Amino acid sequence: MQYQEAIRSLTDAVARRQAILFVGAGVSMSVGLPSWESLIAHIQSDLGIDCSTNDCHRSSYQEIAEFYRLKHGSICPLVEWMSQEWRVDPDCLRKSHLHRLIVDADFPFIYTTNYDANLEAAYEAFGKPYVKITGAADLAAALPGLTQIIKFHGDFSNPEGLVITESDYFDRLSFDAPMDIKFRGDAFASTLLFVGYSMTDLNIRFLLHRLWKTWRDTGQERARPPLYIVMHDADDVQKHVLDRWGVTVIEGRGGNAEESLLLFLQELKNSLAAQRASCGSADVLTFSRASRQTKSDKLVSDEPRSCSTTASSLQGTSVAAFDEASKT
């Protein structure tokens, strides 16, 4: 039941242009990029850290990245390595069914904590315009009407702006950076779908908790738009905690996490295509009816009608017809 309800809810939200897709590392890993664990293993090797010792396992990933910055004086060498090693050939992205489904879904906002440029490259590979947002300057210059790809933790174009070390994460805990403010504003009016995330990601858990707390503090939680996360093998603990925060877990129906996500996004694509086809047919019927009405009006009155008047009449008829169709 939750599966189909999520499909319907997201279909309506995308049609209203009030939907956010939040993309995690699982989507990048589907085209061969390494996991966060692999990145940390590279950092440990670069720093000469012996992972056979207990000291290595007592350190968090963010702590190890912090140590890298302290040892090298900057995170830039690591970012340079990532920007070279994490490139995916455009042909690979064109063959990625998962990336094609993401582009075809046409979400107005795509947030991601991934540093790589695979989402942007996928949009370019499939010829779909977009605008990338990595900070306050991009927010001010963003053109309206285009899909926004918001790099929530930065990207390789600004190494020092990446959220990767422990200090970086702590600095974002206040949830008042320009990107956080934008997310709060977008999320308040949008249905959210999280994909490619593991709930072991404390940053995402913190994000979900802060969003829930913000709504709770308003005293109007019932007005909150739905929030979904696709998970292949969520356990009862995760489901109950996420449910407490107003997050509905969509349990995958595939044999693994990637297959489960593919099946869900394919069904969403089918639902969106059906709605768009239905709306297109309704528009044709509306225009036909409006044209007949215009001819009938001309028999009654030969007064000249301006283009703006005719357009207004057609627009009003279209809205009324759509409302009537929605009731049936």
Side-chain angles (χ1 to χ4, degrees):
M1 182 65 72
Q2 287 182 335
Y3 199 93
Q4 292 305 321
E5 285 180 359
I7 294 292
R8 287 192 293 269
S9 175
L10 286 162
T11 299
D12 291 341
V14 171
R16 296 193 313 271
R17 313 307 291 159
Q18 291 180 304
I20 294 174
L21 180 66
F22 218 119
V23 177
V27 172
S28 290
M29 290 168 62
S30 72
V31 288
L33 264 66
S35 64
W36 179 256
E37 289 85 354
S38 299
L39 171 62
I40 296 304
H42 168 79
I43 295 176
Q44 291 168 333
S45 175
D46 181 279
L47 294 173
I49 298 175
D50 183 3
C51 286
S52 63
T53 66
N54 288 332
D55 289 342
C56 173
H57 296 291
R58 280 201 296 264
S59 300
S60 70
Y61 298 151
Q62 292 81 9
E63 257 186 311
I64 294 171
E66 186 83 37
F67 184 46
Y68 181 97
R69 176 178 276 165
L70 292 172
K71 292 285 286 185
H72 287 280
S74 169
I75 205 74
C76 289
L78 176 62
V79 173
E80 184 176 349
W81 176 85
M82 287 192 293
S83 65
Q84 294 296 322
E85 295 295 321
W86 288 12
R87 289 181 179 177
V88 176
D89 190 277
D91 287 338
C92 180
L93 289 170
R94 289 189 192 97
K95 295 174 183 176
S96 169
H97 189 38
L98 180 53
H99 283 81
R100 177 87 220 201
L101 288 171
I102 288 173
V103 173
D104 286 347
D106 194 29
F107 277 79
F109 304 104
I110 300 180
Y111 279 76
T112 181
T113 51
N114 298 343
Y115 309 127
D116 61 78
N118 285 339
L119 285 172
E120 301 97 291
Y123 267 73
E124 292 168 7
F126 294 119
K128 187 76 176 291
Y130 71 93
V131 58
K132 182 178 78 168
I133 295 177
T134 62
D138 295 330
L139 288 171
L143 295 173
L146 296 179
T147 292
Q148 295 183 2
I149 298 179
I150 300 105
K151 309 303 285 284
F152 199 60
H153 283 171
D155 73 353
F156 301 143
S157 65
N158 180 19
E160 293 302 330
L162 288 182
V163 179
I164 188 170
T165 70
E166 191 170 59
S167 294
D168 298 331
Y169 281 95
F170 287 165
D171 288 342
R172 289 290 288 271
L173 287 179
S174 60
F175 209 45
D176 60 2
M179 302 294 272
D180 299 318
I181 294 170
K182 173 174 172 54
F183 175 70
R184 291 206 308 266
D186 291 341
F188 253 69
S190 301
T191 297
L192 279 81
L193 174 64
F194 283 74
V195 299
Y197 281 103
S198 164
M199 282 301 100
T200 58
D201 187 333
L202 283 178
N203 185 64
I204 293 302
R205 293 174 69 86
F206 173 74
L207 183 72
L208 294 173
H209 177 267
R210 285 300 297 264
L211 194 58
W212 165 75
K213 185 177 184 299
T214 302
W215 267 106
R216 186 194 63 179
D217 291 346
T218 68
Q220 300 180 35
E221 279 185 274
R222 291 188 176 183
R224 178 182 175 181
L227 195 163
Y228 303 102
I229 182 168
V230 178
M231 300 184 71
H232 175 64
D233 53 0
D235 58 38
D236 286 340
V237 173
Q238 291 172 327
K239 291 177 188 175
H240 281 84
V241 171
L242 290 172
D243 181 66
R244 165 66 173 154
W245 296 342
V247 182
T248 300
V249 174
I250 305 302
E251 297 187 67
R253 296 178 175 179
N256 54 51
E258 183 178 344
E259 186 179 331
S260 292
L261 181 53
L262 280 168
L263 289 172
F264 182 82
L265 290 179
Q266 182 63 58
E267 191 154 351
L268 177 59
K269 176 183 176 179
N270 295 342
S271 178
L272 286 166
Q275 186 190 66
R276 288 163 186 162
S278 175
C279 288
S281 299
D283 288 343
V284 170
L285 180 60
T286 298
F287 183 80
S288 176
R289 288 175 176 171
S291 297
R292 289 199 299 270
Q293 183 63 45
T294 301
K295 291 177 182 178
S296 176
D297 291 346
K298 186 169 179 62
L299 293 175
V300 176
S301 174
D302 287 330
E303 293 180 7
R305 302 179 70 178
S306 67
C307 293
S308 59
T309 304
T310 304
S312 298
S313 300
L314 288 173
Q315 184 180 17
T317 306
S318 179
V319 171
F322 184 81
D323 290 342
E324 188 63 31
S326 300
K327 296 174 184 177
T328 59

